[in-house]
Amino acid sequence: MSTTEQNEHQLDAEIRAALSGRGNIDDAHPAADTLLGYHHGTLPAAEEEALQTHLAGCPACVRLLLALDSFSAPVTVEEVAAAGTREGVEATLARLPRETTPATAAPPFSRSRATPYLPLAAALLLAALGLSFFLFHLWQRDAAELSQLRDQYATLETRLADRSQPRTDLPIVDLFPTGFSRQVRLDRPRVDVPAAADAVMLILAPSAPVPGTLLRLRLLDGAGEERWTGMATPNEAGSLTVLLPRGTLTSGPYELQLEAPDPTVASDRFPFELDFHSEP
Amino acid sequence: MVQPEERMDDEAGTSNPIAEAILRWQRGIEREESFRRIVETFYPLLHRFFLRCGCGGEEARDLTQETFIRVYKGLGRFRREARFETWLFQIATNLYRNALRHKETRKRAPELPATSLPEPPAEAPELADPAAEAPLDRVLAKERQHRLRQAIAQLPPQMRTTLALRIDQELSYREIAAVMKLSVETVKAHLLQARRRLRQTLAPSGQGPLEDPSDETP
């Protein structure tokens, strides 16, 4: 070895020793993206300089950077063979985690794998049976309640329809005999009323009818007790129609009194008798 | 020749078989076959990558397979607008660094229990080695190395990195040029200039610089 070469080696050895005392920078590796950016020349100048400083002391990153070229270089057929690609691919596929293996690639059902699931299947079957019984019970109870509700609804519907229809069978107490002049009053007419009647209609005519005048009506029973009061207006013909609610009316004598607003006008009195009876 | 350098910007994946394979895998269509296609395409490329990183054959094979297992686990979350090769490089880089770290840890771990090893002399190496240099020489050597470190620190960054890559990491000119994105001639010029400056620093006062070799041997 010549003196020049000896000097060269001595200097390099000293430089190597000086460089080796720079400390460990292994914990500050640049990210893979930074290496890629440097490789593609897209890093800002400051980052590029910082990375070069890191590379001076990091053989690992230098190797990564040098190997990065291989990512963009085509692979030759020889390299494919040298890498043991065929065996490597099979070995890789065999190492894939089983739990993330898609369902389509799952192994066929076998007895050894089925055994652990038998208790689970039995438990599921029992649970399904229990649930079925419970649902059946619920269904039965609901059906009974539904039937009851339907009956109640039908009853209500019937009653509603009944009340909604015009009452053609309403008992009418005409205090004047048919065909007679309205000026002639019957003396305490007696009217048969079905016990189930909801109301009694009275037809009467005031002595001095003033069409359009509001009259006060009072119904007194045989003992003189007031049983009902109301207001009514005679029509143009001078007659008056009063609908008496059945309420607590019972069989017996009654008197309907008409009082005009004018106190000088005497009250009209219309006695009559009601006889409630059960229908045959 | 396998050409994995295809962009994944075609959503339908009709023009890019890898993009199509990823799309089919993510949609659950023939997953095993789709993933096999990905592995077949990139296996030799990754294997070569790990070899060039300095891994041995067996280690390169293990890291390659491990990379694909990571890919398999994360492929469902892979956004197809990203470049698959970039993602693959990120995974491979992380695995390579992990492997290096693991090796370093094993290297630092003692082979035998510490109690079974004899304690090295802490001080006074001159007593242990009578042939060791005299204390004055050691002081001078320390002083010389201190001056050298200061001179290296004062070199321009690019020149300093080039020097380190050459002397500390023993890269070839071509490799340094690739790493530093310089021409081979610029690398040589940097090294020549760096050595010249450092020699001047180390030259005894009153003397000229040490002999300056005019050429570098790659």
Side-chain angles (χ1 to χ4, degrees):
Chain A
M1 186 181 289
S2 67
T3 311
T4 307
E5 285 172 339
Q6 279 179 352
N7 284 341
E8 177 79 3
H9 282 296
Q10 185 187 344
L11 179 65
D12 283 0
E14 285 185 277
I15 294 172
R16 192 174 294 115
L19 289 171
S20 65
R22 289 169 302 167
N24 189 3
I25 54 171
D26 280 353
D27 292 335
H29 288 300
D33 283 344
T34 308
L35 288 180
L36 277 171
Y38 181 78
H39 180 72
H40 293 126
T42 55
L43 278 189
E47 278 189 52
E48 190 171 293
E49 193 177 315
L51 179 63
Q52 286 183 342
T53 305
H54 173 84
L55 291 174
C58 184
C61 285
V62 169
R63 280 196 219 117
L64 276 172
L65 208 52
L66 288 172
L68 195 48
D69 282 332
S70 64
F71 256 81
S72 54
V75 180
T76 63
V77 175
E78 292 75 24
E79 283 175 318
V80 171
T85 303
R86 185 176 296 176
E87 299 79 15
V89 168
E90 297 306 326
T92 302
L93 295 176
R95 282 181 64 185
L96 293 181
R98 187 175 289 274
E99 65 272 17
T100 52
T101 303
T104 51
F109 188 77
S110 64
R111 289 178 67 115
S112 61
R113 287 182 63 79
T115 307
Y117 294 107
L118 274 177
L120 181 63
L124 282 174
L125 186 64
L126 281 174
L129 279 173
L131 186 65
S132 304
F133 278 123
F134 176 68
L135 289 175
F136 181 69
H137 171 70
L138 276 183
W139 176 77
Q140 274 195 323
R141 197 187 69 179
D142 288 351
E145 282 183 2
L146 188 64
S147 173
Q148 194 178 351
L149 285 171
R150 273 184 185 149
D151 289 345
Q152 287 178 358
Y153 177 75
T155 306
L156 285 171
E157 199 171 38
T158 307
R159 290 176 67 182
L160 182 65
D162 188 41
R163 298 291 167 91
S164 305
Q165 296 298 320
R167 298 298 303 259
T168 54
D169 57 344
L170 194 67
I172 296 173
V173 182
D174 193 345
L175 301 182
F176 301 92
T178 307
F180 283 72
S181 165
R182 291 287 174 186
Q183 300 301 319
V184 180
R185 294 184 185 179
L186 289 174
D187 184 22
R188 193 178 289 275
R190 186 172 179 277
V191 182
D192 289 339
V193 183
D198 292 327
V200 178
M201 181 178 283
L202 298 177
I203 300 173
L204 47 98
S207 305
V210 182
T213 303
L214 195 63
L215 299 174
R216 185 166 182 267
L217 310 177
R218 292 177 71 217
L219 180 68
L220 306 177
D221 60 14
E225 289 284 327
E226 187 176 270
R227 303 295 298 270
W228 176 82
T229 58
M231 307 293 281
T233 304
N235 60 20
E236 289 180 354
S239 64
L240 201 65
T241 305
V242 178
L243 193 65
L244 274 180
R246 169 73 160 78
T248 56
L249 294 182
T250 54
S251 297
Y254 290 91
E255 187 180 82
L256 186 68
Q257 296 181 353
L258 272 64
E259 294 173 356
D262 184 356
T264 58
V265 178
S267 299
D268 273 348
R269 296 170 184 275
F270 296 89
F272 59 95
E273 196 166 331
L274 294 176
D275 184 12
F276 289 97
H277 61 87
S278 301
E279 286 183 86
Chain B
M1 300 266 264
V2 183
Q3 292 287 350
E5 269 296 294
E6 293 172 4
R7 299 288 303 187
M8 298 195 50
D9 35 24
D10 184 3
E11 171 64 22
T14 51
S15 64
N16 184 340
I18 292 304
E20 188 182 354
I22 292 168
L23 190 63
R24 289 172 72 83
W25 190 93
Q26 288 181 335
R27 289 181 178 173
I29 306 166
E30 295 174 353
R31 283 186 134 184
E32 191 173 343
E33 194 53 40
S34 302
F35 196 73
R36 174 183 287 275
R37 187 165 206 167
I38 296 169
V39 177
E40 283 175 346
T41 304
F42 289 100
Y43 189 94
L45 188 141
L46 265 180
H47 188 265
R48 183 180 64 181
F49 170 77
F50 285 119
L51 285 178
R52 292 193 182 179
C53 282
C55 299
E58 194 175 341
E59 189 183 16
R61 191 192 62 205
D62 286 346
L63 288 174
T64 302
Q65 293 180 9
E66 190 59 37
T67 305
F68 284 116
I69 290 169
R70 299 272 177 104
V71 167
Y72 188 85
K73 286 177 178 172
L75 197 55
R77 297 185 301 276
F78 176 72
R79 290 173 293 108
R80 290 191 297 275
E81 62 265 26
R83 198 167 177 227
F84 182 71
E85 289 83 351
T86 301
W87 185 48
L88 200 62
F89 174 72
Q90 288 168 341
I91 295 173
T93 299
N94 290 337
L95 282 172
Y96 170 68
R97 283 174 173 164
N98 288 345
L100 277 185
R101 209 170 288 134
H102 187 61
K103 273 196 273 189
E104 283 294 317
T105 309
R106 277 192 303 180
K107 206 183 290 180
R108 286 173 194 160
E111 294 289 333
L112 294 169
T115 51
S116 66
L117 294 174
E119 285 291 323
E123 287 296 334
E126 64 274 13
L127 295 176
D129 182 8
E133 54 191 344
L136 180 61
D137 291 340
R138 279 193 287 125
V139 170
L140 289 175
K142 271 190 179 176
E143 165 64 19
R144 186 180 166 86
Q145 195 170 67
H146 178 68
R147 273 191 292 149
L148 188 60
R149 278 189 190 145
Q150 280 188 324
I152 290 173
Q154 284 168 3
L155 292 176
Q158 203 173 60
M159 190 182 288
R160 187 171 60 238
T161 301
T162 307
L163 186 75
L165 292 176
R166 175 64 180 166
I167 295 179
D168 198 25
Q169 301 189 30
E170 299 178 342
L171 298 190
S172 69
Y173 295 144
R174 190 183 298 278
E175 287 171 329
I176 296 170
V179 169
M180 297 295 292
K181 300 179 176 302
L182 301 170
S183 67
V184 172
E185 285 67 33
T186 308
V187 170
K188 285 182 180 177
H190 272 323
L191 288 171
L192 189 67
Q193 185 68 18
R195 284 199 171 102
R196 185 173 290 157
R197 290 193 191 184
L198 296 178
R199 270 190 209 97
Q200 283 173 347
T201 303
L202 296 176
S205 49
Q207 294 183 12
L210 295 176
E211 190 175 346
D212 184 11
S214 58
D215 198 7
E216 288 280 339
T217 49

